[in-house]
Amino acid sequence: MLEVSHVTKKYGKNLACNDVSFTLEPGSLTVLLGPNGAGKSTIIKSIIGFLKYQGKIMVNGYPNKSSEARRMVGYIPELPSLYPTLTVIEHMEFIARAYKMTNYKERIEMLLERFEMADKKKKFGDELSKGMQQKLNLCIGLLPNPDIILLDEPMLGLDPHAIKELKNYIEEMRQAGKTLFISTHIIDSVDMLWDRTIIMQNGQVKANVSRSEIEGQGKSLEDLFFEVTEGIDASSVRAAEGGSDEEKAETVKEGEAE
Ligand code: ADP
């Protein structure tokens, strides 16, 4: 279990995260939603121990900056940071050795194959297009295969084919019992089987709800997002517009019954 307790992070006077608390249950897929600048990347970077902050973050009982916790958490950054003088395969082998992985060759092949990078093995980091750099970034992040994986805006810069493959891969990881935390500001990209959503705005958690709670209220994720971030009540908007198509159909059926 990953537990974020009262995390506050300031950049100078700018409060990027303001008393943020939540937990990620083992084997769950949580989507972190929020407009640009909401504090999503800041909280992810705090979890992986890149930033100094106030508050506490624990991973399965270990402080997040301990070596035990670091081994349990994987991170795929929003922007790739590649070495211009290493080739694709050298990047992968470098990470495998850094994580002291054994028998990693097969896993490297599998990942490069899946994300269509197998024929780019000998290309240097700075010879890759932006999309290819993003795919290599993904392959590097997925290589160590830890139990908890944090993905910061993972669809950005990927072509539709790679997005589809990534979504398939996310679903496989979910089925394999991984704990997944995926940040995005694009609600449409969340067309996968998520369990919980956390919505941030202005550095604060504005909602933390399970999928069944939202569905139980007859709302979509988009409804909830605008309700939370703009104070728009989707059901009253629908009522003012004369109801949703489903609601209209219900009304017709009721009329017919009379
Ligand atoms: P998000 O990932 O939701 O787009 P961020 O966590 O990147 O949001 O940013 C939250 C706030 O912190 C924003 O106001 C942003 O400008 C600010 N911020 C982020 N990184 C830095 C930084 N390195 N230095 C100063 N301000 C930053």
Side-chain angles (χ1 to χ4, degrees):
M1 195 218 282
L2 192 146
E3 202 168 0
V4 173
S5 309
H6 304 290
V7 168
T8 293
K9 168 70 191 170
K10 279 186 192 165
Y11 292 107
K13 284 185 184 163
N14 187 356
L15 200 51
C17 283
N18 183 4
D19 196 23
V20 170
S21 298
F22 58 84
T23 55
L24 301 182
E25 294 300 329
S28 64
L29 191 164
T30 304
V31 174
L32 176 62
L33 281 178
N36 283 326
K40 304 182 298 298
S41 293
T42 302
I43 198 68
I44 288 185
K45 285 181 194 156
S46 301
I47 294 172
I48 50 159
F50 276 15
L51 298 175
K52 278 190 182 164
Y53 54 85
Q54 289 173 326
K56 197 164 106 178
I57 303 177
M58 301 293 283
V59 184
N60 289 327
Y62 294 100
N64 63 330
K65 293 187 182 176
S66 66
S67 56
E68 288 88 350
R70 279 172 189 267
R71 269 198 294 275
M72 291 179 221
V73 182
Y75 166 58
I76 297 172
E78 181 180 357
L79 297 172
S81 58
L82 303 176
Y83 298 97
T85 54
L86 288 189
T87 63
V88 166
I89 192 77
E90 284 166 351
H91 274 93
M92 297 295 276
E93 289 174 346
F94 175 73
I95 295 297
R97 289 196 200 107
Y99 277 82
K100 299 189 171 58
M101 292 175 70
T102 50
N103 303 325
Y104 51 79
K105 290 208 181 309
E106 222 172 88
R107 187 165 168 77
I108 290 179
E109 289 297 323
M110 180 278 288
L111 285 167
L112 293 180
E113 198 66 51
R114 283 196 72 157
F115 291 98
E116 296 181 313
M117 293 295 288
D119 59 343
K120 308 281 182 306
K121 276 184 206 160
K122 293 195 174 146
K123 291 239 182 237
F124 289 96
D126 62 357
E127 286 178 322
L128 300 172
S129 70
K130 283 225 167 86
M132 286 176 202
Q133 289 184 13
Q134 197 62 24
K135 289 201 266 187
L136 177 56
N137 182 45
L138 259 181
C139 292
I140 289 171
L142 295 171
L143 180 61
N145 203 18
D147 286 340
I148 303 169
I149 302 161
L150 316 177
L151 299 103
D152 194 359
E153 299 278 3
M155 318 291 175
L156 274 193
L158 294 181
D159 61 35
H161 202 84
I163 290 178
K164 192 170 154 219
E165 200 50 51
L166 175 61
K167 286 182 181 171
N168 289 340
Y169 199 79
I170 287 172
E171 183 52 29
E172 282 171 37
M173 289 194 286
R174 186 176 182 273
Q175 281 174 14
K178 304 278 181 199
T179 305
L180 296 153
F181 190 51
I182 305 175
S183 104
T184 182
H185 67 287
I186 305 167
I187 309 172
D188 285 351
S189 68
V190 191
D191 56 347
M192 59 194 58
L193 283 175
W194 49 275
D195 302 294
R196 181 166 280 280
T197 185
I198 294 174
I199 301 179
M200 284 185 74
Q201 189 180 28
N202 300 329
Q204 288 180 311
V205 171
K206 298 282 179 153
N208 182 345
V209 236
S210 71
R211 188 188 187 108
S212 54
E213 279 172 82
I214 300 176
E215 289 178 350
Q217 293 169 17
K219 286 179 192 162
S220 68
L221 192 52
E222 198 176 19
D223 289 340
L224 180 78
F225 182 81
F226 288 117
E227 206 176 289
V228 167
T229 57
E230 292 182 10
I232 298 170
D233 179 354
S235 51
S236 64
V237 171
R238 283 206 199 102
E241 287 170 351
S244 67
D245 290 347
E246 289 86 2
E247 283 160 357
K248 281 181 197 160
E250 282 300 314
T251 316
V252 171
K253 272 187 214 151
E254 278 166 23
E256 282 168 356
E258 274 169 17

